[in-house]
Structures are given as C-alpha cells and as structure tokens.
Amino acid sequence: MRFGPASDGVIAGWARELGLPGLVDIHVHFLPQRVMRKVWAYFDEAERHYGVSWPVWYRHTEQRRLAMLRQFGVERFAPLVYPHKPGMARWLNEWVRQFAEEVPDAVPTATLYPEPDVSGYVEEAVRAGARCVKVHVQVGAFDPRDPVLDPAWGMLADAGVPVVVHCGHGPLRGEYTGVDVFAEVLAKHPRLTAVLAHAGMPEFDRALALLERYPRVYLDTTMVGTPFSERLMKLPADWAARLADVPHRVALGTDFPNIPYPYATQLRAIAQWADADERLGEPFLRAVLYETPKALLNGARGR
Ligand SMILES: [Zn+2]
C-alpha cells in the first residue's frame, strides 16, 4: 500500500487501508468560471510559457470536479483563489466565501494583493472565517515585502491563519520570486504560519532551511516529485532523508484540477518518499495526507 494508488479509482480505498478517514488537500483551485477559463487558456499555451505542454487533466464542470474530489476520498480541501492584478482580490474573496458556504468540504479561504485596501479586506476575510490564504508572487508579479502588506502579514500571523505562498521560481521566474525574497517577510513576521507551495520548487534546500529556522513554516507537496516535475526541476537525491527531519511539516497539496496528470500520480510520489526512508513509512503518509493539513486548516485561533 505504500507504493501508492495505481489509479484515481483506488485512492479512497488506499487511504482507508492507511487507517485514514480520507485525505485533506491544502492546495486545490476553484475560481469563478471565467477566471478558470482564462487559466485553462494559459495552460493551452504552456509550450510557449514553459516550453512543455500542460494538458489540464480535469477540465470539467465545477460540479464534476467536486464529485471527483469526493470520489478520491478528499474529506476537506482549501479552494485557493489568486489575483493577477489590483482590484481583484476583494472580489475573489467574496466569491470564494460564498463557494465555501455552499460546499461543505471546502474551507473558506482568501487571497491578497498589495493595494491600499488590503488590510481591510484581509481582516474582513479572517473575521468571516477564512482558514487559509493564498499568495501567488509570480502570477501577481508583486513584491511580498511591499510595506503595504505588513499589517496583513501581522494580522494573519496573530490569527494563526496559514498562508499558502507560491514564492518559488518554479515553474516560472518572476521579478519577486525566490525563497530568499519571502524569507525577508518571515524575518519581519517570524510567527507567520507559512506553507511554501511546491516545497519552494526548485529551491528545495532553501525552503528546508526556512523550516529549520521558523517553527511555523511548512511545505506543501503540490506537483513535487511527480514525473512531470522531475523532468523540469529534479528533487535532491536525499529528499526523503531530508523530510525525515521534518515529517510533521509537510502537507498534501496537488493543484487539482490544473495538473497535467491524474491525481493519483501525486500520491504515488509521496508514497515513494515514505518508502525511501525507514523513518518515514506509513506514519509519514498519515501525517502528510491528513493530520498536518487538517491541523493547518483548523488552526485559526478561536475555531
Ligand atoms: Zn496552485
């Protein structure tokens, strides 16, 4: 069972055999339909953007995508939204708040962008129950160190709301990407609960160094170690051994539905790490696939 599910159809049973009631996925995307269509159109041009084709595997209606997550046994997930320009985050936050109200397995989330009203709408989102905030430095093309964001980082740190931050250079560099840039935000807000999306890909070493320095920093597994990513940005050979130092600081993330392979592929990658170091094994799988992401999404104080 440690080798992972052979196909999507056997994921739920695999999780049960591990003794889990299901999976918790901290990195899933749901967006207003016209925004999602734009995202898919972007992936259709992936060859131009990334130099590789990126056929979105789950290009289905919202209802069908939700039904699939349930079939996989995903008990809870964070539907992440992110803006690519100013004036968009507040609207996305409102959209995702309603989405989470209608979809019981989705936790309320929010996003942010450096703009004058950012503290106001982040505070509103946290008050309204947001349990996870997505920050996309490359798509947003902004500097996470922008002083206008300081009150928002402070508020999120105080509230214990995890921030899933795509700050790495992968798959595309941006003006402000790089784990070291985000490290400056952490230096200023060391109590921030930060989940480094894609484990900081491709700067895995730097991401792990931040985990050592800051007890509230985590990694998400999104796309990490899948054959698709391994071709572009290879994991260090001692990855599993490195994870054995921080087994409770890794959370399942997948980027469903915008991945160029089946959901089970991600789970097999994680299962391979579990199998590669005897200190990991099934307890590691239970932590990554369920306990850690669940604790993160439940972690906001007073909830
Ligand atoms: Zn993502």
Side-chain angles (χ1 to χ4, degrees):
M1 90 180 53
R2 274 159 58 171
F3 298 104
S7 67
D8 284 359
V10 298
I11 293 172
W14 177 71
R16 272 196 306 274
E17 279 177 51
L18 284 167
L20 295 174
L23 307 175
V24 178
D25 189 334
I26 200 168
H27 193 144
V28 162
H29 293 293
F30 281 88
L31 285 163
Q33 192 159 335
R34 68 186 166 91
V35 182
M36 191 60 111
R37 276 209 206 100
K38 278 189 186 160
V39 170
W40 288 344
Y42 183 86
F43 285 119
D44 285 341
E45 306 273 295
E47 225 142 341
R48 194 153 60 80
H49 302 301
Y50 304 118
V52 289
S53 72
W54 191 306
V56 171
W57 204 269
Y58 300 102
R59 203 171 179 134
H60 304 306
T61 62
E62 192 173 279
Q63 284 314 310
R64 177 132 184 245
R65 281 181 268 131
L66 285 169
M68 295 185 103
L69 285 175
R70 288 170 192 149
Q71 275 164 20
F72 303 160
V74 175
E75 174 193 285
R76 213 135 177 70
F77 65 90
L80 303 180
V81 297
Y82 51 93
H84 60 273
K85 58 183 183 194
M88 194 178 173
R90 184 187 280 274
W91 169 69
L92 285 172
N93 288 353
E94 181 53 30
W95 181 88
V96 77
R97 192 185 61 72
Q98 281 185 15
F99 176 86
E101 244 168 51
E102 289 158 20
V103 177
D105 25 1
V107 302
T109 71
T111 190
L112 57 75
Y113 191 88
E115 51 199 340
D117 56 342
V118 61
S119 326
Y121 64 69
V122 170
E123 186 171 7
E124 271 169 39
V126 170
R127 282 225 187 107
R131 293 202 206 167
C132 186
V133 169
K134 169 71 186 248
V135 175
H136 206 311
V137 172
Q138 184 259 318
V139 167
F142 61 80
D143 190 339
R145 299 163 299 190
D146 190 324
V148 78
L149 292 175
D150 271 325
W153 294 132
M155 217 179 305
L156 294 169
D158 288 344
V161 173
V163 182
V164 175
V165 55
H166 182 138
C167 62
H169 292 310
L172 274 191
R173 270 176 187 265
E175 198 174 342
Y176 303 105
T177 58
V179 169
D180 286 352
V181 174
F182 191 72
E184 289 182 41
V185 174
L186 285 169
K188 224 166 162 185
H189 303 278
R191 292 168 52 248
L192 187 67
T193 304
V195 181
L196 304 176
H198 313 285
M201 187 187 297
E203 297 177 293
F204 302 109
D205 286 327
R206 287 191 173 153
L208 285 165
L210 285 187
L211 264 65
E212 252 168 58
R213 195 171 325 148
Y214 300 104
R216 294 189 185 173
V217 173
Y218 295 77
L219 305 177
D220 88 22
T221 64
T222 307
M223 299 192 77
V224 180
T226 60
F228 179 86
S229 301
E230 283 292 276
R231 277 193 295 275
L232 299 172
M233 276 162 277
K234 226 175 163 29
L235 280 171
D238 61 348
W239 179 243
R242 305 284 298 276
L243 293 184
D245 297 331
V246 285
H248 297 288
R249 308 274 290 284
V250 184
L252 173 66
T254 60
D255 253 344
F256 176 89
N258 301 333
I259 36 179
Y261 46 72
Y263 195 93
T265 308
Q266 182 71 65
L267 301 175
R268 285 199 300 276
I270 299 167
Q272 269 173 25
W273 311 334
D275 207 45
D277 192 293
E278 58 184 17
R279 292 168 293 172
L280 295 176
E282 289 187 15
F284 173 75
L285 287 176
R286 285 189 280 274
V288 173
L289 302 177
Y290 191 80
E291 294 154 7
T292 302
K294 184 159 181 152
L296 281 166
L297 295 180
N298 284 339
R301 286 207 192 112
R303 260 179 271 281

